[in-house]
Amino acid sequence: MEAVPSSGSACFQHVRSRIWFSLPVYPLRERPTIAEEEPWAEINGYLVHDSANWRDLNLKFVILCWRDYKLIVDKYYDKEDVSKLRSRLKLYICIKARKVLDYFYKLSEVVIRNALKEWDPNHDGMIENSGTPDQTYDAWTMTGASRLSCSAYCGSLWLAAVYSTICMADELGKKSTMHKLKYLEETLEKAKVAYVIKLWNGRFFNFDESASNQGLIMADQIGGLWCLTMLQENEIIREDNVSTSY
């Protein structure tokens, strides 16, 4: 960051993106109160990137949909013994949870379908980053020989999101979801193969596919797989790959 003085304001230049923005300098007595700085009173000032193009946010939403449903059901419902439902309230909550899951699944399936359409140009089942800071780590670019690249971080979230959507479809068990379930399962199998082939270096998953980043380790490299572990789901990548990456 390079500070440049200006009349009545402090301007900062973001060296990479060359985006300028100004921060007003208030005299001490005129500084806004805490109430005036509340989110509903202040305009969102994030201008660095268009977060609508970020690869990770929608995928995290899908994973959290499956997590929230599991937390509700695990607390109130025992599939092996429905008689353990000790109150009408718990039964009511479970019925509502199924409706919520149906809603979650429909949204998640759209997310997965659109991601494949927009972010999987080579149709290998694995999404690719654009060569720009297109995820929450908004100063890091994930790139490869052709600018587009699979990345350990977004790739692991993608695997977990597809798997979570499969779990939702399987849990619903509707005929209307069965044909989509097969498609999702095929996509997951292809994506797992692509993820390992493109990024696994024998010890951990590379940051991205670029030669300059070989050997870089990202703490969130398999964050999506960690989410599935926390949900007590089956491993979708070989255990030895995961254990050495940690």
Side-chain angles (χ1 to χ4, degrees), residues 146-213:
S146 61
R147 189 170 66 87
L148 300 178
S149 169
C150 173
S151 68
Y153 168 60
C154 293
S156 71
L157 289 174
W158 171 249
L159 294 176
V162 176
Y163 183 86
S164 296
T165 309
I166 290 172
C167 291
M168 286 186 264
D170 187 54
E171 181 78 2
L172 288 169
K174 294 181 178 180
K175 290 183 179 180
S176 59
T177 65
M178 289 301 101
H179 70 286
K180 293 179 180 178
L181 177 59
K182 182 179 180 181
Y183 173 70
L184 290 168
E185 290 173 339
E186 292 173 351
T187 298
L188 179 62
E189 290 305 312
K190 288 168 45 180
K192 288 193 296 184
V193 172
Y195 187 68
V196 173
I197 289 177
K198 291 181 176 181
L199 299 175
W200 179 248
N201 63 18
R203 292 186 300 150
F204 55 87
F205 291 94
N206 289 324
F207 177 77
D208 59 17
E209 295 182 67
S210 63
S212 60
N213 286 334

Side-chain angles (χ1 to χ4, degrees), residues 185-244:
E185 290 173 339
E186 292 173 351
T187 298
L188 179 62
E189 290 305 312
K190 288 168 45 180
K192 288 193 296 184
V193 172
Y195 187 68
V196 173
I197 289 177
K198 291 181 176 181
L199 299 175
W200 179 248
N201 63 18
R203 292 186 300 150
F204 55 87
F205 291 94
N206 289 324
F207 177 77
D208 59 17
E209 295 182 67
S210 63
S212 60
N213 286 334
Q214 296 298 306
L216 290 184
I217 301 175
M218 183 180 183
D220 253 355
Q221 61 173 303
I222 50 176
L225 305 181
W226 176 84
C227 291
L228 295 182
T229 300
M230 295 298 292
L231 290 173
Q232 299 180 339
E233 298 291 354
N234 296 327
E235 293 283 359
I236 57 175
I237 295 293
R238 284 176 46 184
E239 185 177 353
D240 54 340
N241 290 15
V242 174
S243 60
T244 57

Side-chain angles (χ1 to χ4, degrees), residues 4 13 15 21 27 71 79-80 82 89 91 96 101 109 122 131 135-136 145 154 168 170 183 195 197 201 221 232 241:
V4 182
Q13 182 182 28
V15 177
F21 61 96
L71 289 176
K79 293 181 184 178
E80 302 301 324
V82 180
L89 175 60
L91 180 58
K96 286 293 185 181
L101 180 64
E109 195 274 328
N122 56 7
Q135 28 67 44
T136 307
C154 293
M168 286 186 264
D170 187 54
Y183 173 70
Y195 187 68
I197 289 177
N201 63 18
Q221 61 173 303
Q232 299 180 339
N241 290 15

